[in-house]
Amino acid sequence: MKFLSALTYAPFLLTGLASVANAHTYLRNLTMNGVKYTEGQCILPYVGDRIQPVLNPTSQDMMCRTQDKNLTASMTCPIKAGSTITVEWHWLEDFPNDVISFNHLGPCIAYMAPLESKGHGDVWFKIFEEGYDPATKKWCVDKIREKAAHGQWNITIPADIKPGDYMIRTEIIALHEAYRENGAQYYPNCIQARIQGSGSATPKGYAIPGIYNATDAGIMFDLKKPYTSYPIPGPPLYKSGSADTNQRVAYSSQAGTPTPTPTAVPYATQSKVYAATSSAVHRCAA
Ligand SMILES: [Cu+2]
């Protein structure tokens, strides 16, 4: 009994420790059409120590943080264009206080690309961005760390995009070491989604890596100097209905075979403790 209760409390203890030294983060859960998904379903599988940030903006790992491996999720999850998905970030477990270290301030950003591109080429268009709000003095990361948010933020899929299979790349950038070149930490993770609808827009895309440069104003940013605004890095935000005809990607027919509607995963089966196993663990001062 004693052993069992120690196990029960272990994640809390780990949470406490990690918030001191190493509280990075990853996309842990995803809710689309009211169904909750987790790793390996519609979220691209992770390799090794899933919470480690990408530190080099020219790395292939900038795409989906899969350590350059050509991975696919086992499901492509259905969602209607114009509706909203909820992504949920944690460094370890599903607890509300277990999201990301308080000092990892920065923006939340999301991109999409046609799945058939596998993310290669000028294919990524930005669909969401939230940086720093001078009125509330809160960063996107502050908001998702709030207890009620539970690590979650919402992303609306543009209503007018052409239906088909896409990758959705969600990302948090932590700026606590970004006062120096290559100090920003990138936390991208990708989702496979089947967008349903009747739109026809094929927004202009950009290459990843390539969207950020080490010296961009929103990438090299000193949190210790006074600031009243923050320039969100990357290409312009695509808004549904904007006249963006500058298509670069060849979108072929993406009809394919429909993925069966997956069923929700019981919460209990998602409760796993992931140990940090990487030999090259990046540690952040808290
Ligand atoms: Cu970190």
Side-chain angles (χ1 to χ4, degrees):
M1 280 306 283
K2 233 175 190 171
F3 180 64
L4 277 177
S5 63
L7 272 182
T8 307
Y9 289 104
F12 291 103
L13 294 172
L14 286 171
T15 303
L17 286 172
S19 63
V20 174
N22 197 24
H24 308 307
T25 194
Y26 75 105
L27 171 60
R28 193 177 200 283
N29 301 312
L30 162 73
T31 302
M32 285 169 68
N33 278 341
V35 182
K36 186 175 180 182
Y37 305 102
T38 188
E39 172 176 2
Q41 295 185 310
C42 310
I43 302 172
L44 256 63
Y46 309 105
V47 182
D49 187 356
R50 64 210 67 208
I51 61 170
Q52 290 301 313
V54 182
L55 299 173
N56 177 356
T58 66
S59 159
Q60 281 297 320
D61 226 14
M62 280 297 283
M63 203 190 292
C64 297
R65 206 163 32 139
T66 50
Q67 296 186 2
D68 296 355
K69 295 194 171 70
N70 197 5
L71 300 173
T72 52
S74 64
M75 289 177 181
T76 303
C77 293
I79 182 85
K80 286 195 176 68
S83 59
T84 296
I85 71 171
T86 302
V87 293
E88 183 173 327
W89 292 69
H90 291 285
W91 87 265
L92 186 67
E93 276 294 345
D94 261 341
F95 309 129
N97 64 343
D98 187 8
V99 176
I100 187 171
S101 176
F102 71 93
N103 77 336
H104 283 43
L105 301 175
C108 314
I109 307 178
Y111 297 83
M112 287 177 72
L115 185 60
E116 64 187 44
S117 72
K118 296 186 171 162
H120 295 288
D122 294 338
V123 293
W124 294 96
F125 53 97
K126 189 191 268 177
I127 59 165
F128 177 92
E129 60 182 13
E130 187 172 327
Y132 176 73
D133 181 351
T136 59
K137 297 197 161 103
K138 281 181 184 169
W139 290 84
C140 182
V141 163
D142 290 319
K143 292 182 187 170
I144 69 169
R145 284 186 67 254
E146 283 170 5
K147 197 172 180 191
H150 203 275
Q152 296 177 342
W153 42 291
N154 295 326
I155 301 164
T156 299
I157 306 295
D160 65 347
I161 58 166
K162 186 174 176 176
D165 290 351
Y166 287 84
M167 284 210 280
I168 304 171
R169 175 188 179 275
T170 64
E171 172 181 48
I172 289 172
I173 304 177
L175 299 169
H176 53 296
E177 294 175 10
Y179 55 88
R180 58 178 170 83
E181 198 168 325
N182 288 321
Q185 299 184 354
Y186 309 91
Y187 296 89
N189 284 120
C190 295
I191 297 158
Q192 283 178 201
R194 176 154 298 168
I195 310 297
Q196 302 156 329
S198 55
S200 59
T202 55
K204 177 179 175 175
Y206 299 82
I208 298 178
I211 45 170
Y212 309 137
N213 295 303
T215 54
D216 287 351
I219 295 296
M220 234 181 114
F221 188 86
D222 190 347
L223 291 167
K224 295 208 167 73
K225 288 188 181 149
Y227 54 87
T228 52
S229 66
Y230 167 73
I232 296 171
L237 183 68
Y238 177 74
K239 292 193 183 110
S240 181
S242 64
D244 183 350
T245 55
N246 198 358
Q247 178 188 346
R248 288 188 184 176
V249 189
Y251 288 73
S252 63
S253 162
Q254 295 184 19
T257 315
T259 302
T261 305
T263 48
V265 178
Y267 179 84
T269 65
Q270 300 178 18
S271 266
K272 266 194 293 183
V273 175
Y274 296 105
T277 51
S278 168
S279 55
V281 173
H282 174 81
R283 299 203 176 271
C284 293

